[in-house]
Amino acid sequence: SSMSGKTLGHYRILEKIGEGGMGAVFQAEDLTLRRPVALKFLPSEQATDPAAHQQLLKEARAASRLNHPNIATVYEVGEASGTPFIAMELVQGESLKQILQRGPLQRTQLFEVARQVAEGLNEAHQAGVLHRDVKPGNIMLDSKGRVKILDFGLAMFAGKERTQGEAAETFITRTATQWSTGGTVPYMSPEQLRGDPTDARSDIFSYGVMLYECLSGHRPFRGETSIDVLHAILRQPLPPLRNFVADVPQDWEQLIEQCLEKSPERRFRTMQEVLRALPRATATGARAEKSLAVLYFENLSGAKEDEYFRDGITEDVTTELSRINELTLFPRSAVLAFRDKPITAPQVGQQLGAAFILEGSLRRAGNRLRITAQLVETHTGHTVWADRFDREMKDVFEVQDEIARSISQALRIKLSPQEEKAIARKPTESAQAYDYYLRGRQYFHQFRRKGFDFARQMFARAIVIDPRYARAYAGVADCCSFLYMYWDSSEDNLNEAEAASSKALELDPELAEAHAASGLAFALKKNFDEAQKEFETAIRLDPKLYEAYYFYARTSFQRGDLTKAVDLYEKASRINPDDYQAVSLSVAIYHGLGRIEEAEATERRALELAEKHIELHPDDARALYLGAGILARIGKNQQSFEWARRALSIDPEETSILYNVACVYALLGRTEDALGCLEKVMAHGTFYKNWAEKDSDLDSLRSDPRFQALLKSE
């Protein structure tokens, strides 16, 4: 405190804002840049200790290599009048420790804290930095709820990043809660307490302790002394969260329990795995009060040919509701399993972990449309809101608008002006054009050549009826892009993709789907800079648009930027956690990057998602061949071969199937079969050649001159 008012170098010290075993922190002013900073000094008893000086420098080294919005930025390390210090970002707010002293976090706040801390730690681990002292006291929240991780004083560099002679654990300090191996006892992992070598899983254990405390208000391992706490961490079973939180959501419970496994081998292995688990926990936990699943409406007309319309209306109602930021919407894939099944709304809500279910029905007769809808609360089974709409087909968008507004009112959500505007926008003035657009969308999702051909025809008919239908133009562009990639690499397809996406943007510059379509067209022309701009614009306009991340990831892979590609695939997967495609395509990239642990974890998740999808859609060739690739990688060769043959039997001349089955055969060591498939594929243009050059699934073929000849063939 005696330092207050002093000037050190170009810093004027104002007041002390914190103190602990690792040093004292003061608020100061940078006199050169005129900005507030935090200065960290060693404790007075260590001020002349060379080892302590070295430790302070090590902290600065660890934190300064990290540039992430959830990690406090280090500006410099210096010394003035013989006093070493670190100058860092001043985070004005409260520590998580201070907040928890008032009680557990609200569920809405819990998810945001959990996510931001996980993302910050993931960034540190990716840079080879282990924090080793994750606890509420080292987590700050500013006035807007943004998280900053502080105090890398105990951090160490993983693996080769350690300096020569640096031990696996370093003696730091002993206080009431500090232990000789570093860290704060109630939050330390068993291996850290034993002095064993540690890796990212040790931080994950500490993170789990913190989450347990955030949710329950209690630390999981307690005792009168540090020795008692140490014994509890090493030997005693984890006290069930339900002892303190009777209604703890199952997903949160499972997440925390896996973080707190005493054996590192049974924990999440990376913070990326934790992040992937968090969205599932979100729906049933942090945002349970406002989570909603929209069931496919019942088709009362009974006509099979009307199912595309029923599906389209359901999906568009979901899209309208997804524009409301306070709502957590379950994706289309999550509710597919319940389509046309005799199951009640509360039962679906319980299985999904959704607080509310929207169900309904529709009947179409000529130009007349009847839609019924009701919002059911899962916990009580009570109907919160219900209505019936007897309208003409031309009023279909007003019905969707009214449903979205009624649900927001029922859940006491005040719509922002931006949300009001987004919900009120009509994609077209023509109900007939909309009908053709829905038909096209159904064909598009089949992911086959015939499906894309039919989809393009339907989108084109919609444009003839309404020449200003921007989404239909974007649909045409995507069809042409996919036809160019997989079946017909003609200039006509490429030019039409570019022209249609350009027209969509001209008609509606704020349409995210149009920017995503434009990005894909630019990428196929190898104009990667423009493609990147378009994808990033699409994501800015609609951060929940799966296709924007998915197309961007494919383009990044095509460009050879594997790290960016896998990051974008992961983001796509978070938006739609039940989709198997982005996860499956991530596996080969992780292997290509040499990130084996993440590859193996992703394999397990991809296979689970593919199996779930195939149960619902046994004739989906794409799910079969992507799943076959995963099975081959994990050694289930016979099942892999069977799935690949099933995929090929669906359409033996389909080039996308042939290419991916070739990848499976290559992984299985069936070189002749793989080359036989590739010979049929390479005649369809350059796209597959470019992809094959970077595809690690084909590595076993690279030394074969026949494979090299195929890549060079005209």
Side-chain angles (χ1 to χ4, degrees):
S1 60
S2 61
M3 298 184 71
S4 298
K6 291 185 177 180
T7 299
L8 290 180
H10 57 96
Y11 296 106
R12 181 169 62 239
I13 299 173
L14 302 177
E15 62 178 335
K16 182 185 285 188
I17 55 177
E19 187 168 19
M22 295 304 301
V25 181
F26 290 77
Q27 181 176 345
E29 181 185 9
D30 184 329
L31 299 175
T32 302
L33 298 178
R34 298 294 181 186
R35 65 179 175 184
V37 299
L39 297 184
K40 179 174 181 178
F41 298 92
L42 289 170
S44 56
E45 65 271 16
Q46 298 180 30
T48 59
D49 184 353
H53 285 215
Q54 188 63 30
Q55 187 63 34
L56 191 73
L57 178 61
K58 180 183 169 186
E59 175 181 357
R61 273 183 56 216
S64 64
R65 67 163 55 186
L66 306 175
N67 181 17
H68 191 272
N70 297 124
I71 297 175
T73 303
V74 166
Y75 298 140
E76 70 166 319
V77 60
E79 184 171 329
S81 303
T83 305
F85 62 85
I86 298 175
M88 65 187 78
E89 175 184 2
L90 177 67
V91 184
Q92 295 180 318
E94 286 186 295
S95 71
L96 184 56
K97 179 179 179 180
Q98 291 171 313
I99 295 170
L100 290 176
Q101 287 172 349
R102 299 194 292 269
L105 295 185
Q106 296 294 317
R107 300 281 173 88
T108 50
Q109 189 180 25
L110 173 64
F111 170 74
E112 286 304 319
V113 170
R115 178 185 63 79
Q116 292 182 64
V117 173
E119 288 183 348
L121 289 175
N122 181 58
E123 178 73 12
H125 294 168
Q126 292 286 339
V129 177
L130 310 177
H131 190 283
R132 301 201 317 136
D133 198 19
V134 178
K135 61 183 180 181
N138 284 336
I139 308 297
M140 290 289 293
L141 278 74
D142 66 15
S143 58
K144 296 183 179 180
R146 291 175 297 203
V147 165
K148 294 284 186 180
I149 303 173
L150 309 176
D151 203 341
F152 281 75
L154 300 181
M156 61 185 300
F157 301 114
K160 296 178 181 179
E161 296 292 335
R162 292 177 185 157
T163 57
Q164 186 174 7
E166 181 179 352
E169 301 290 350
T170 307
F171 177 92
I172 305 297
T173 156
R174 278 197 184 105
T175 67
T177 56
Q178 296 283 337
W179 198 249
S180 61
T181 52
T184 306
V185 172
Y187 302 92
M188 290 171 68
S189 67
E191 62 270 27
Q192 193 175 2
L193 285 169
R194 289 191 296 265
D196 294 339
T198 56
D199 57 18
R201 292 170 295 184
S202 184
D203 278 352
I204 289 171
F205 185 96
S206 303
Y207 173 86
V209 175
M210 187 189 73
L211 287 189
Y212 190 110
E213 187 175 359
C214 287
L215 188 57
S216 70
H218 300 270
R219 293 175 184 164
F221 307 106
R222 292 176 291 170
E224 294 184 5
T225 68
S226 291
I227 297 297
D228 296 329
V229 176
L230 182 151
H231 177 75
I233 294 171
L234 292 174
R235 302 284 179 240
Q236 292 180 4
L238 178 69
L241 257 173
R242 295 182 183 277
N243 290 355
F244 305 106
V245 187
D247 63 343
V248 60
Q250 186 178 8
D251 285 352
W252 277 107
E253 190 172 36
Q254 291 174 349
L255 175 80
I256 293 171
E257 285 177 355
Q258 190 169 349
C259 288
L260 293 178
E261 289 282 358
K262 295 190 188 298
S263 169
E265 287 72 26
R266 300 186 64 181
R267 283 179 222 145
F268 294 105
R269 288 181 286 183
T270 66
M271 288 307 303
Q272 281 196 332
E273 287 190 33
V274 174
L275 279 165
R276 288 194 290 263
L278 274 175
R280 294 179 180 275
T282 304
T284 55
R287 296 181 180 175
E289 300 88 348
K290 303 289 174 65
S291 62
L292 172 64
V294 181
L295 295 186
Y296 279 84
F297 286 17
E298 185 180 359
N299 177 21
L300 294 182
S301 70
K304 189 76 174 175
E305 59 269 20
D306 266 359
E307 288 194 1
Y308 78 91
F309 185 77
R310 178 274 303 266
D311 291 355
I313 292 289
T314 305
E315 290 160 17
D316 281 348
V317 168
T318 304
T319 300
E320 289 293 287
L321 290 167
S322 73
R323 305 186 195 283
I324 303 173
N325 289 327
E326 283 191 49
L327 275 178
T328 298
L329 264 293
F330 283 76
R332 178 176 71 102
S333 56
V335 297
L336 270 173
F338 305 104
R339 184 169 58 180
D340 300 328
K341 295 292 185 356
I343 185 170
T344 67
Q347 288 172 329
V348 174
Q350 289 166 7
Q351 289 190 37
L352 290 177
F356 296 91
I357 297 292
L358 179 67
E359 62 178 357
S361 65
L362 63 84
R363 184 191 301 274
R364 185 167 62 156
N367 287 326
R368 297 297 300 176
L369 179 68
R370 169 175 288 180
I371 295 179
T372 65
Q374 63 175 347
L375 183 66
V376 179
E377 186 177 28
T378 297
H379 180 62
T380 63
H382 294 158
T383 298
V384 179
W385 163 84
D387 207 341
R388 187 178 79 180
F389 304 89
D390 287 299
R391 305 287 177 84
E392 293 185 5
M393 270 294 299
K394 65 182 179 63
D395 299 322
V396 64
F397 301 117
E398 281 80 1
V399 173
Q400 295 174 11
D401 187 342
E402 287 182 41
I403 290 173
R405 293 177 189 279
S406 297
I407 288 175
S408 67
Q409 290 171 6
L411 299 181
R412 298 180 181 178
I413 296 172
K414 181 175 175 57
L415 298 178
S416 69
Q418 293 80 9
E419 290 168 336
E420 291 271 8
K421 181 181 177 181
I423 290 172
R425 290 179 67 185
K426 288 184 181 181
T428 176
E429 295 294 334
S430 169
Q432 188 180 8
Y434 178 60
D435 185 84
Y436 278 120
Y437 177 77
L438 294 184
R439 291 174 190 262
R441 203 162 64 183
Q442 181 193 41
Y443 287 124
F444 184 87
H445 289 308
Q446 293 176 1
F447 208 93
R448 298 183 191 176
R449 176 167 190 162
K450 290 180 181 177
F452 286 119
D453 281 333
F454 283 134
R456 179 164 60 174
Q457 292 175 30
M458 295 299 103
F459 293 143
R461 289 188 184 183
I463 290 169
V464 169
I465 296 167
D466 181 1
R468 300 191 59 79
Y469 199 168
R471 283 183 184 170
Y473 280 104
V476 168
D478 287 340
C479 288
C480 292
S481 290
F482 276 89
L483 287 167
Y484 176 87
M485 283 190 283
Y486 291 107
W487 297 281
D488 181 10
S489 298
S490 66
E491 286 297 314
D492 287 344
N493 274 330
L494 195 54
N495 290 336
E496 188 174 353
E498 184 177 33
S501 60
S502 178
K503 183 64 175 179
L505 288 173
E506 176 189 327
L507 292 169
D508 190 348
E510 298 297 303
L511 182 63
E513 291 93 332
H515 286 280
S518 177
L520 186 56
F522 274 125
L524 294 177
K525 285 204 163 189
K526 297 187 178 179
N527 189 341
F528 295 118
D529 290 340
E530 288 300 317
Q532 179 174 329
K533 290 178 185 176
E534 291 294 341
F535 289 135
E536 290 179 354
T537 300
I539 290 168
R540 175 179 58 79
L541 291 170
D542 186 357
K544 298 178 182 179
L545 183 61
Y546 171 89
E547 287 77 12
Y549 298 96
Y550 182 74
F551 292 167
Y552 197 1
R554 293 179 64 92
T555 301
S556 298
F557 179 87
Q558 182 186 357
R559 197 175 185 177
D561 190 344
L562 302 188
T563 301
K564 189 166 191 173
V566 79
D567 178 62
L568 288 163
Y569 276 136
E570 290 293 352
K571 288 177 178 176
S573 177
R574 287 180 213 164
I575 290 170
N576 188 352
D578 292 284
D579 179 72
Y580 66 90
Q581 296 180 84
V583 183
S584 298
L585 293 171
S586 297
V587 172
I589 301 178
Y590 277 128
H591 279 289
L593 290 168
R595 291 158 63 174
I596 304 304
E597 286 189 359
E598 290 159 287
E600 291 173 351
T602 307
E603 284 168 351
R604 293 192 295 272
R605 187 161 58 107
L607 185 57
E608 176 188 336
L609 292 171
E611 288 174 335
K612 179 180 176 182
H613 185 86
I614 290 167
E615 283 181 18
L616 297 171
H617 308 282
D619 294 327
D620 189 325
R622 185 164 174 78
L624 284 165
Y625 60 64
L626 290 177
I630 304 298
L631 288 165
R633 286 190 175 277
I634 64 176
K636 294 187 177 182
N637 293 356
Q638 186 57 40
Q639 188 180 359
S640 170
F641 182 62
E642 290 172 1
W643 280 26
R645 290 187 63 181
R646 279 176 61 187
L648 202 55
S649 68
I650 290 169
D651 193 341
E653 300 303 316
E654 174 73 71
T655 51
S656 64
I657 298 176
L658 283 163
Y659 177 84
N660 285 279
V661 168
C663 291
V664 176
Y665 286 158
L667 290 169
L668 293 174
R670 303 177 69 96
T671 301
E672 296 300 324
D673 291 333
L675 290 171
C677 289
L678 289 174
E679 283 174 359
K680 297 179 180 179
V681 169
M682 294 307 180
H684 288 268
T686 61
F687 177 80
Y688 284 107
K689 295 185 180 74
N690 293 335
W691 194 272
E693 287 175 354
K694 304 173 183 69
D695 197 334
S696 62
D697 285 352
L698 300 175
D699 284 350
S700 66
L701 306 179
R702 299 206 181 278
S703 60
D704 193 306
R706 293 171 295 176
F707 179 71
Q708 292 299 324
L710 286 172
L711 292 181
K712 296 174 183 176
S713 62
E714 295 295 332

